[in-house]
């Protein structure tokens, strides 16, 4: 099992045990691959929920550029909802898990097909 497969298994575990979701493994794999090399970097692989700049990055680079959504207050609301689902006290909120939840929230699975 390669490093990426180990990370995907860890992300699936977080979705099940911390977020209460039964992950679609095919979609989770595609979202993880879409994150690129960031998943291997300790800092880049997580979302710093307390930094407003990080929330803007998720909104602009993922929701608007990747998923093709229009800017609006619902984007920040969705990010906050995903982070709350993950657990605000959870120290490591993995980017791939947050992106997976946002993809599901907006019904944008087709971006990864």
């Amino acid at each position: 099992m390669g490093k990426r497969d180990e990370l995907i298994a860890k992300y699936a575990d977080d979705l099940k045990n911390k977020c209460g979701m039964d992950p679609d493994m095919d979609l989770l794999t595609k979202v993880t691959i879409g994150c690129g090399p960031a998943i291997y970097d300790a800092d880049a692989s997580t979302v710093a929920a307390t930094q407003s700049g990080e929330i803007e990055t998720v909104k602009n680079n993922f929701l608007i550029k990747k998923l093709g959504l229009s800017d609006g207050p619902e984007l920040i609301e969705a990010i906050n909802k995903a982070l709350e689902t993950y657990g605000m006290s959870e120290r490591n909120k993995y980017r791939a898990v947050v992106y997976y939840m946002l993809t599901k929230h907006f019904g944008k699975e087709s971006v990864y097909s």
Side-chain angles (χ1 to χ4, degrees):
M1 188 151 107
K3 180 75 173 155
R4 186 174 70 199
D5 293 331
E6 291 172 15
L7 289 169
I8 291 169
K10 184 192 317 187
Y11 302 153
D13 184 65
D14 271 17
L15 281 163
K16 285 179 194 157
N17 298 314
K18 296 177 182 172
C19 304
M21 302 173 96
D22 191 26
D24 171 342
M25 292 306 293
D26 185 48
L27 179 62
L28 180 58
T29 299
K30 290 175 180 174
V31 170
T32 303
I33 292 169
C35 289
I39 62 171
Y40 303 110
D41 179 88
D43 186 48
S45 69
T46 58
V47 173
T50 56
Q51 296 177 4
S52 61
E54 178 75 1
I55 303 301
E56 285 297 311
T57 299
V58 171
K59 182 182 87 167
N60 293 323
N61 293 355
F62 184 70
L63 295 178
I64 295 173
K65 288 181 185 168
K66 179 70 178 175
L67 297 187
L69 299 169
S70 299
D71 195 0
E74 67 279 359
L75 300 186
I76 296 294
E77 290 168 16
I79 293 168
N80 288 332
K81 182 177 179 224
L83 295 173
E84 285 170 22
T85 299
Y86 213 140
M88 290 309 272
S89 62
E90 184 58 42
R91 190 166 174 269
N92 291 320
K93 293 175 194 64
Y94 292 105
R95 187 170 303 281
V97 174
V98 173
Y99 285 7
Y100 173 89
M101 287 192 283
L102 290 168
T103 301
K104 295 291 269 186
H105 174 83
F106 286 106
K108 288 291 197 169
E109 294 89 342
S110 62
V111 169
Y112 290 99
S113 59

